[in-house]
Structure formats: C-alpha cells, structure tokens
Amino acid sequence: MKRFFKFIFKTLLTVILIAVVAAALIWGREIRTVASVKQVGDNKYLYQMQYSAKYDLDEVMAANIDENSKLLEYVVSKVGKGIKFKINSSQTSDAGKMEPAVANCTSFQAKKDGEEGYWYGRNYDFFKNPTLVTVSHPKKGYASIAVSDMSHFGYSLDKVPDSFKNKVLCIASIYAPVDGINEKGLCTSIMALPNQASQQNTGKPAVGTTIIMRLFLDRCATVQEALDLLATVDVRHDAGVGSGYHYMVADAQGDCAVIEFDKNDGWKTMIVRKDAAMNYMHVTNHLLDPKYYTTEPDPEVGNPNSHSWERYAKVEEYLGSRNGVANFAEAQECLSLVHWKDLVWPNGMIEDTQYSNVYDQSAIKLYLRNWNDYDTTCEFGL
C-alpha cells in the first residue's frame, strides 16, 4: 500500500511538472507580463506593468479590427490560445452607447525653458477609473511608455488587479493606449469629439480607435513618419460607442500636428500642423481644421458641455503669455488650470480628471499625477 501511494504521489508530481512546463512554454511571456503588474505606491487605482508578451501589429491590421468588441475578441483569442475567457469594457457597444456629451481632454506641446527639448502635456478627463502605465520593448518597434484607462479592458473601482487572476486582463493594454511616448520622443494622445466617429473606407487596412496610436508609438520617430503611416490605413472609430476622436502627435524636434477627420467629405483626413514659428500647440475637444474651426462653442464641431472652448482659451492664454516656453512646474500648472473635479453633467454623470501627464520628450520620462492629487507626481521611464 505504501508503494502504491508513493507511485500515485510521484505520478501526480510528474503531471503537475508537465503542466507547469507546458504552461511556461505556451504562456511564458504572458505570465511574466501579468506577474509584473504592481500597484504604484499606496495608490489603489494606479498600476504599472512591463509588457513582455508577443504581439503582431501587422496581424492586427490584416484583421481589419474596427470595433472595440472585435479588438477584445482578438485579444482573448491571442492570449487564451484556445482557452476562453471574457473581457468587458466601458467602450464596447454591447455595454451601451457612451454618452456623446461626455469626455474632456487637453493636450499641448511647449518648448522647455532654459534647455533644449519640449514638454508634452496631457489631461485625461473621464470618469473615475483605475489607470495603468505600460512599458514595452518590442523586438520589432520602438520601446514606449503608454497610459491606459483600465475600464476599457474590464476594470473599475470595484475590480482592480489585486491578484494574479485579476491581473490577466491588463495584457490587453498594449492595444489600448490613450497617450504615450516612445524612445525617440514621439508623443501621441487622443481627445473625444461627439458625433465625429471616423468611418474611413478606402480599401486600406482598417485600424481602430487606439490601434493607430500603438502604431505611432511602435513605428514612428517623427510627426512626418506618423502622417506617412496614417496615409496607409483607414481609421475607423467604433460607431457604437457614440463618440469620435482626434489625435495629437508631437516629436522631440518640436514638430506637432493634430489629426482630424471630415465627416462631410467621406471622413477624409485633415491635418493641422503647428506653425514653425511657434513654440507651442494645443488641442481640446473641438475641431481645429480651418474648415470647421470656430472661436464660439458649436455642437457640430465639438463639445460645448465640456467647456472645450473655455479650456482651449485658458491654455492659449497661459502658454501664449510665455511665448510657448515653460519649465516643468509651469507645464504641470498649465494642466492644473484646466482640470476637472466632480464636474456634474446634465444627465447626472460626474466626471473628473483621471490623470494629468507631463512627458519629457528628450529625457523620455513620464510624470503622472493621478485623480487630481497634485501634490504627488509619479515618475516612469524606459
């Protein structure tokens, strides 16, 4: 009997060892990625992750993924490798359309004061959700630091990555940046535009709302390279979400552009470039292209309820009075001037500035202040 139990015990150990080895071979990179997720300081709603798993942007482009639900299905199929699990998102159409009036954001580029280089500032204004900073070093592409709203891949104030099981969904963040910087100093960010969901359909590979930013971060060193890449794809926002978007891209040499789409002309791409004589450029939540630009709030071209024009004017006044030159503290202060705390919408929803970021485009650093905690700055690097 003793020998029998020893035999059973050894057999079980062998089976477990084989299972562990098999898991390591199949999901080794994914396991390392998930295991790297950790809370930043004592902030229960701010996390960081070192992304080690493989991903293939060419494959994503070939799949013509133009809806957030399709993107999540793709992530599940690649990560699960035959094992099914589910990711819910605040940005998928089956979760209900996002209120078109919701979402404020501000982005700017400004020249550094007293030294070479530029700051890239960014407020992400949405609802209170946990935030994830993802650092990646892909074999094919530039290393980058990117920030994600974790509600886009299944998290909330009631669900945070506080165990290995709960950390698994973080792996989707590689496809869902809302702003970031790469090793060449190229920065990009996204701003919401109600009823401006681009549906480009020229026969080029379709890329969704956030995939285009991952492409910029992985493959572009300059604004011109980003615009050249943009010309090779169709940008298709998820129409079911109820919002559209425009993007800012800025490089370490001071070039900067805002990318928009013309809903009255087949969603043709519109590019607004920074004047070469200017030290700064900024954008909020209304169109800047001369075809649509207005100094007065207009719901056809932007978001009056988000105080977009008011925020745009405040940033213009602050940076303009300094000729677009700022030190680090001033870059942070500029974002403080246009942040929100407990902004109540007509429908009763409450919005906050989820985080305020200042990127150093020469040192390749991110300085993040989460949830209006302007006394605490978290630093991230490559």
Side-chain angles (χ1 to χ4, degrees):
M1 185 64 71
K2 220 171 182 181
R3 289 182 179 179
F4 174 75
F5 282 117
K6 281 185 177 180
F7 171 76
I8 294 297
F9 182 68
K10 288 181 178 179
T11 302
L12 285 174
L13 281 180
T14 302
V15 170
I16 291 170
L17 181 61
I18 291 172
V20 169
V21 171
L25 290 173
I26 297 172
W27 289 290
R29 291 174 178 270
E30 287 80 5
I31 291 171
R32 285 203 305 276
T33 298
V34 172
S36 75
V37 176
K38 63 180 180 179
Q39 183 176 311
V40 178
D42 60 359
N43 193 324
K44 184 181 176 182
Y45 303 110
L46 178 61
Y47 296 84
Q48 61 183 353
M49 177 176 72
Q50 291 284 335
Y51 195 92
S52 304
K54 292 181 180 179
Y55 62 98
D56 189 336
L57 292 178
D58 288 324
E59 184 177 272
V60 175
M61 292 170 65
N64 288 311
I65 297 172
D66 59 356
E67 294 179 11
N68 295 332
S69 59
K70 291 180 181 178
L71 176 59
L72 294 180
E73 288 174 4
Y74 173 84
V75 173
V76 167
S77 70
K78 301 310 289 184
V79 176
K81 299 179 182 179
I83 296 178
K84 294 183 178 181
F85 62 95
K86 184 174 178 60
I87 302 179
N88 293 314
S89 167
S90 67
Q91 293 288 295
T92 53
S93 55
D94 61 0
K97 288 189 177 183
M98 186 174 81
E99 180 68 32
V102 169
N104 313 323
C105 287
T106 302
S107 295
F108 68 80
Q109 185 187 50
K111 186 175 176 60
K112 286 184 177 181
D113 186 11
E115 57 180 311
E116 293 296 318
Y118 293 83
W119 306 114
Y120 189 91
R122 191 297 202 272
N123 275 352
Y124 181 78
D125 305 329
F126 200 46
F127 305 114
K128 284 187 174 179
N129 293 312
T131 303
L132 177 65
V133 178
T134 300
V135 176
S136 61
H137 292 82
K139 287 186 176 180
K140 295 181 180 179
Y142 298 124
S144 67
I145 309 165
V147 186
S148 297
D149 176 343
M150 296 176 70
S151 72
H152 293 178
F153 39 91
Y155 294 94
S156 66
L157 300 190
D158 299 321
K159 181 178 180 180
V160 295
D162 53 5
S163 68
F164 188 88
K165 178 183 176 182
N166 288 341
K167 292 176 180 180
V168 170
L169 302 183
C170 288
I171 209 160
S173 72
I174 198 69
Y175 302 108
V178 290
D179 53 85
I181 185 171
N182 69 17
E183 65 180 273
K184 296 298 183 181
L186 183 94
C187 286
T188 186
S189 56
I190 188 171
M191 281 66 57
L193 288 172
N195 306 312
Q196 302 283 339
S198 171
Q199 295 295 296
Q200 289 185 335
N201 187 21
T202 67
K204 300 170 187 173
V207 295
T209 303
T210 57
I211 293 297
I212 186 62
M213 289 193 292
R214 174 49 63 190
L215 284 164
F216 289 159
L217 291 172
D218 278 32
R219 299 186 175 183
C220 302
T222 66
V223 168
Q224 189 56 55
E225 287 182 10
L227 299 182
D228 290 343
L229 184 153
L230 183 70
T232 67
V233 298
D234 284 339
V235 177
R236 296 179 59 83
H237 300 142
D238 190 335
V241 170
S243 182
Y245 306 90
H246 55 178
Y247 306 86
M248 177 177 270
V249 288
D251 62 36
Q253 292 72 46
D255 195 5
C256 187
V258 172
I259 299 163
E260 301 178 333
F261 308 94
D262 190 344
K263 68 177 181 180
N264 295 316
D265 190 10
W267 299 107
K268 186 181 296 182
T269 302
M270 303 184 294
I271 306 297
V272 182
R273 299 292 288 263
K274 183 173 81 173
D275 188 324
M278 301 289 285
N279 290 320
Y280 69 102
M281 185 177 189
H282 61 298
V283 61
T284 52
N285 300 97
H286 57 273
L287 293 169
L288 298 186
D289 190 273
K291 182 176 179 179
Y292 295 103
Y293 177 74
T294 172
T295 57
E296 296 297 325
D298 181 350
E300 291 299 312
V301 299
N303 193 340
N305 291 327
S306 73
H307 305 277
S308 180
W309 281 262
E310 177 185 332
R311 287 182 287 114
Y312 188 85
K314 281 186 178 181
V315 175
E316 171 62 37
E317 180 181 5
Y318 189 85
L319 292 179
S321 68
R322 291 161 173 76
N323 193 30
V325 178
N327 59 34
F328 175 66
E330 289 169 336
Q332 287 194 315
E333 176 65 18
C334 185
L335 293 174
S336 318
L337 291 173
V338 290
H339 84 281
W340 293 115
K341 184 173 176 59
D342 298 330
L343 175 66
V344 181
W345 291 85
N347 60 9
M349 299 168 107
I350 300 176
E351 185 176 348
D352 284 80
T353 298
Q354 186 169 322
Y355 59 78
S356 292
N357 287 345
V358 173
Y359 291 94
D360 185 330
Q361 292 187 264
S362 48
I364 320 299
K365 296 282 188 179
L366 161 62
Y367 300 93
L368 183 151
R369 296 176 296 175
N370 205 50
W371 276 23
N372 295 314
D373 179 2
Y374 285 96
D375 294 323
T376 304
T377 298
C378 301
E379 179 182 337
F380 303 88
L382 291 174

